[in-house]
Amino acid sequence: GYSFSRSKYTPIRSIPKIMGFDYILDSTMNPYLLEVNRFPGLEPRSSLDSDVKKAVVYDAWIAASDKTGIPKKYIQDLRPSNYKGFSLKK
């Protein structure tokens, strides 16, 4: 693992929080929020599910890296080998 000196980097104020939002669509494709999960299941059920969940976790760290004080170069080392990219890039 990595260790970060408190004197060299900004202290970690928060870490990314992944939440699950469950929706249902009606017959005209209008979404309705059913529930918000504070602790969504990240245990993969298949290899495709594993790929998606690893990418979600990686993207959460990338999105939060500016606030955590952890240099992006260390987070890049966590990138899944088959990562296809974050869909909301600037």
Side-chain angles (χ1 to χ4, degrees):
Y2 298 105
S3 64
F4 301 99
S5 166
R6 295 268 180 201
S7 62
K8 189 172 181 181
Y9 300 110
T10 304
I12 295 175
R13 290 172 276 170
S14 63
I15 58 172
K17 175 65 177 146
I18 297 171
M19 299 178 74
F21 293 83
D22 294 344
Y23 291 90
I24 191 169
L25 301 175
D26 66 15
S27 60
T28 58
M29 301 303 287
N30 292 314
Y32 295 91
L33 179 63
L34 294 176
E35 68 178 352
V36 177
N37 299 300
R38 290 180 50 209
F39 304 101
L42 293 175
E43 190 66 34
R45 296 181 188 130
S46 68
S47 61
L48 176 60
D49 193 42
S50 177
D51 293 346
V52 169
K53 289 177 179 178
K54 285 178 183 177
V56 166
V57 171
Y58 173 71
D59 286 338
W61 278 108
I62 289 296
S65 65
D66 291 336
K67 300 226 183 258
T68 61
I70 298 173
K72 285 187 181 181
K73 68 180 183 178
Y74 295 115
I75 294 171
Q76 289 293 333
D77 291 344
L78 303 174
R79 182 179 178 186
S81 59
N82 59 351
Y83 183 73
K84 302 269 191 267
F86 184 45
S87 61
L88 299 177
K89 287 184 179 178
K90 293 181 182 178

